[in-house]
Amino acid sequence: MSSSEDRGISRRDVLAAGSAFAATGAVAGLGMSPGSAGAAAGTEADAIVVGAGLAGLVATSELVAAGRRVLLVDQEPEASLGGQAFWSLGGLFFIDSVEQRAAGIKDSLELARADWFSNAGFDRGVDDPLGEDHWGARWAEAYLQFAAEEKRSWLSGLGMTWVPIVGWAERGGQMADGPGNSVPRFHLTLGTGPGVMEPFEKLVREAAEAGKVAFRFRHQVDSLSTTGGVVDGVRGSVLEPSDAERGTPSSRTKVGDFELRAPIVIVTAGGIGANHDLVRENWPSYLGKPPARLITGVPAHVDGRMLGITEAAGARLVNRDRMWHYTEGLINHSPIWPDHGIRVLAAPSSMWFDAEGSRFPNPGIPSYDTLGTLEMITRTGHDHSWFVLNKRIIDKEFVLSGSEQNPELTRKDLAAYLAGRLFHDTPPPVKAFMDDGEDFVIADDLAELVKGMNALVGSDLVDADALGRQITARDQQVDNPFTKDTQVMGIRNSLAYSGDSLARTTPLHKILDPAAGPLIAIRMNILTRKTLGGLQTDLSGRVLDSAGRPIPGLYAAGEVSGFGGGGFHGYRALEGTFLGGCLFSGRQAGRAAAAESA
C-alpha cells in the first residue's frame, strides 16, 4: 500500500482533485475520454509509459491485457518504434532449453545461478536493504527462475522461434568460479531483434486501433509531475514533426509544450550508450582514464535523459559506474547514426594483440571475457587493439551483431543462414567490411600486414619481427596435442562442442599457413552499448527513493532500471540477457501496475 493510502487518501482522490487540466481540450484526439475504462477522473489514461522501446511495448501490452488504457510517449518519430531492440541480433538467454538438450548441453538452474553470480560479482550491500546491489541480486534470482522455466514457453506461445544451434558467448576461460558461461546459452531468435519486437508491437498496435493505447511520438518528457508526493503525470516539449528514418537522428526543435496525467507512470527510456559525455562522467575508476575515442553501438536517442529526470523526482539511481562496452567494435562503412559501430562476435581462433603488437594473455581471447579484456586495453593507454587472423578464420568464425548485418536471420530464412554458416563462405556483410571497412588490413605476408597496420593508425607502433615471433610461437603449439597455450586449449574445447564445430569454430591450424590466407589484421575499437546500473526498483518494478521506499505512482523497466533493481547483471553480463531483461522487467512492471490500478 502506498504512503498516500496509509494516510487515508487514495491516489485517485489526489489526481481527481488536482487535474483540471485534463478536463480541457488536452484530451482531444487521444481516442480516450476522461474516466473511461477505469481511468481516474481528470486523467487521460490509466498509465503513461515513457519510452516506446521493447520494455515499453511489453509493459504496455501487459497493461492493455488487463483492461487498462495507456498513453505511450516517446521523443522519436513513429519510425523508431521499438527503439534499439530493432537493431539487435536477437540473442536470448535460456536455461536447459529444448535446443540445449538436443545438442547434448547439460545445463541447470543451479549451474546458471553459479555462473551468473560469479560473473556479476555483487559487492555493494547485497544483504542490506539500502545496498546498491540488494535489489539487483534479487532481480537476478527472479530472472534466472524465469529463464529456466516460463520464458521460452511464453515467447514461443507468442510465435517466436530460434536457431537450433546454441551460441557460446562470454566463455570466461578461467577458473570454475570465475566469470563466464560454463555452457552455451545464447539462443538466436529467427527474425533477430525485429522478431523479438514483433509480437509486442502487434499487440500494442491492435490495442491502439481499438482505442486502448494512444501514441504520443515527438513528445520529449522534461519532468515528472507530482501531487502530494504521488507521481501523477509527465510534462515536456512537443518536438517538430520528423521524417527521420529509423535509427537516424531526429530534430530536437521544440514547437510546443505538453502535460499528460495518469495515476501511474512507467519509465522505460533506456540507457546512456549514445551520450559519450555521460559515459565518460560515469566511467568506472578501476578502468582508469576513459578512452579519448569511442564509437557508438546504439542510436543517438539513447541519451540517458530520463535517468536524471527521474532522479530529480526523488528516484534513487545506483551503480552509475557499471556499464557494458564491447572491445571488438568496427567503424561502420555505412553508418546510420553518428559514430556508428558494429560489434564482432568472434569465436576463439583470432589472435588478439594490444596497440603495440603484444599478445594479450588470458582472458584476452575472443568470446571469453568482455570486461576483463576492456580492462587490459585501457591499461595500455591506447584506445584500440588488433585481431590478427586469416581468411579461413574469418569465413567461419565472424558474426556481426545487428539485425541489418544478418539479413537471412532477420527475414527468418533459416535454411539460407545455416547454409552460409555450414559451408563457410565469407558472409556478405563481413565481406563488405573487408572491402570497405576502414579498420581492415589484408596482405599476403606479415611484413606487408604490419606496414598496413602502422599506416592505418599513423604510427609505427607494431614491430613486424616481434609480432611474427608471437604468432610463430602459437603456431608451433598446433602440432602438439599437449599444448601449454591457453588459446589453443580453448579452440580445442570449442571444437568439442558440436554447434561450434559445425558452424562457428575453424579447425585448428596455423595462422601463417599460406593455404589459409591471406592474412588479416583488424583494428578493434571500444564500442559503447549498455548501461548496467540504473533506477533502483523492487521486484514489482516500483521505483525506490533514497530511503528504499517505493515512490507512489512510479515504475521503471528495461535498461533505465539496470534491467531490474538498478543492476541485475552486476559488473558483467552473460549475454542474451539485455533483450531478456527488457522482456522480464517490462512484464513485471506492466503486470504490477495493472494490479495496482485495478
Side-chain angles (χ1 to χ4, degrees):
M1 182 176 291
S2 71
S3 57
S4 62
E5 289 168 334
D6 289 339
R7 296 192 295 270
I9 304 171
S10 76
R11 184 172 309 159
R12 292 174 185 264
D13 292 336
V14 172
L15 290 171
S19 57
F21 163 84
T24 69
V27 181
L30 289 174
M32 308 177 184
S33 59
S36 65
T43 64
E44 283 93 335
D46 297 297
I48 296 169
V49 176
V50 181
L54 179 60
L57 291 173
V58 174
T60 300
S61 70
E62 292 291 343
L63 285 159
V64 169
R68 309 294 175 263
R69 295 200 173 206
V70 182
L71 283 168
L72 185 54
V73 179
D74 199 284
Q75 66 188 0
E76 293 305 298
E78 186 172 0
S80 286
L81 183 66
Q84 68 188 90
F86 176 90
W87 301 103
S88 77
L89 185 58
L92 292 173
F93 177 97
F94 296 134
I95 299 168
D96 192 27
S97 68
V98 172
E99 292 81 8
Q100 286 176 301
R101 293 195 296 271
I105 298 166
K106 298 183 184 299
D107 198 8
S108 67
L109 177 58
E110 292 72 27
L111 180 61
R113 180 183 290 113
D115 285 350
W116 188 292
F117 277 80
S118 61
N119 198 64
F122 295 119
D123 60 3
R124 297 175 178 173
V126 174
D127 298 322
D128 178 0
L130 294 180
E132 291 195 45
D133 278 338
H134 178 74
W135 286 103
R138 293 185 67 183
W139 270 90
E141 288 279 7
Y143 180 72
L144 287 162
Q145 290 280 349
F146 174 65
E149 297 171 1
E150 189 181 357
K151 181 181 177 183
R152 189 186 184 285
S153 61
W154 174 55
L155 296 176
S156 178
L158 291 169
M160 288 188 207
T161 55
W162 296 274
V163 174
I165 299 173
V166 184
W168 196 357
E170 291 296 302
R171 306 177 187 208
Q174 299 175 67
M175 305 297 283
D177 58 356
N181 283 297
S182 298
V183 297
R185 296 190 176 104
F186 191 79
H187 297 68
L188 278 173
T189 306
L190 273 179
T192 63
V196 178
M197 279 173 45
E198 182 179 20
F200 301 101
E201 179 181 354
K202 181 174 182 288
L203 289 170
V204 171
R205 287 196 182 278
E206 288 174 348
E209 291 175 2
K212 299 174 183 177
V213 171
F215 295 115
R216 283 293 171 263
F217 298 109
R218 305 299 287 154
H219 281 52
Q220 180 178 267
V221 173
D222 298 324
S223 66
L224 303 180
S225 59
T226 60
T227 303
V230 178
V231 172
D232 58 7
V234 297
R235 300 186 183 95
S237 306
V238 179
L239 304 178
E240 68 178 352
S242 172
D243 59 1
E245 295 181 7
R246 182 187 289 276
T248 61
S250 63
S251 165
R252 290 294 179 264
T253 299
K254 175 181 172 180
V255 296
D257 299 304
F258 74 90
E259 182 172 359
L260 300 169
R261 304 292 290 276
I264 285 172
V265 174
I266 306 179
V267 178
T268 62
I272 67 173
N275 189 333
H276 290 187
D277 290 339
L278 272 180
V279 168
R280 292 190 174 96
E281 180 183 328
N282 293 290
W283 191 258
S285 58
Y286 65 86
L287 288 178
K289 185 179 178 181
R293 178 175 176 273
L294 296 164
I295 61 175
T296 310
V298 293
H301 61 74
V302 187
D303 55 17
R305 290 184 73 256
M306 283 306 300
L307 285 163
I309 289 167
T310 313
E311 187 179 24
R316 188 183 188 207
L317 181 56
V318 297
N319 298 312
R320 300 169 190 262
D321 63 340
R322 291 186 185 163
M323 50 189 81
W324 194 246
H325 305 312
Y326 291 116
T327 50
E328 315 99 321
L330 305 177
I331 298 169
N332 197 343
H333 56 80
S334 302
I336 297 168
W337 52 81
D339 303 312
H340 188 171
I342 297 293
R343 189 215 175 180
V344 173
L345 288 81
S349 296
S350 299
M351 297 185 71
W352 207 335
F353 298 87
D354 69 18
E356 298 182 9
S358 295
R359 188 183 181 190
F360 284 125
N362 190 26
I365 298 171
S367 75
Y368 272 30
D369 181 354
T370 294
L371 186 63
T373 308
L374 177 60
E375 188 170 359
M376 288 192 290
I377 292 171
T378 57
R379 284 204 304 260
T380 69
H382 297 283
D383 298 339
H384 72 278
S385 59
W386 291 100
F387 272 17
V388 175
L389 59 155
N390 55 41
K391 185 177 182 297
R392 185 180 295 172
I393 292 172
I394 205 170
D395 283 355
K396 186 170 183 179
E397 295 200 1
F398 268 44
V399 172
L400 301 177
S401 185
S403 55
E404 82 283 12
Q405 300 296 330
N406 295 271
E408 298 91 355
L409 272 183
T410 301
R411 66 175 183 260
K412 301 185 182 181
D413 189 346
L414 180 59
Y417 171 77
L418 291 177
R421 300 313 307 171
L422 297 176
F423 294 106
H424 319 318
D425 296 325
T426 307
V430 175
K431 183 65 165 58
F433 271 89
M434 293 173 68
D435 293 341
D436 301 322
E438 65 181 80
D439 296 305
F440 280 71
V441 179
I442 301 173
D444 290 325
D445 62 68
L446 192 61
E448 284 299 310
L449 189 77
V450 172
K451 182 179 178 181
M453 294 164 70
N454 288 330
L456 181 59
V457 300
S459 180
D460 292 338
L461 293 177
V462 180
D463 179 78
D465 290 339
L467 189 72
R469 283 193 296 272
Q470 295 171 89
I471 298 173
T472 298
R474 176 266 187 204
D475 282 357
Q476 288 173 340
Q477 296 290 308
V478 171
D479 296 328
N480 180 4
F482 304 104
T483 183
K484 65 179 182 180
D485 189 283
T486 303
Q487 185 170 16
V488 173
M489 293 179 194
I491 295 168
R492 288 178 174 147
N493 192 40
S494 184
L495 291 169
Y497 165 46
S498 60
D500 274 3
S501 180
L502 282 170
R504 287 287 281 132
T505 303
T506 308
L508 185 59
H509 66 284
K510 296 180 179 181
I511 299 286
L512 297 178
D513 180 355
L519 293 171
I520 302 168
I522 309 171
R523 178 179 60 183
M524 293 296 181
N525 309 278
I526 297 173
L527 175 75
T528 64
R529 186 62 67 87
K530 295 297 181 184
T531 309
L532 299 189
L535 303 171
Q536 195 168 43
T537 60
D538 66 12
L539 287 176
S540 295
R542 298 184 299 177
V543 177
L544 307 179
D545 64 15
S546 60
R549 298 172 302 209
I551 298 174
L554 186 59
Y555 290 75
E559 191 174 353
V560 77
S561 66
F563 302 91
F568 84 149
H569 291 100
Y571 288 92
R572 286 175 166 88
L574 286 175
E575 291 292 343
T577 56
F578 300 130
L579 293 178
C582 289
L583 294 167
F584 183 57
S585 61
R587 192 174 87 149
Q588 290 285 97
R591 291 183 177 183
E596 181 178 345
S597 61

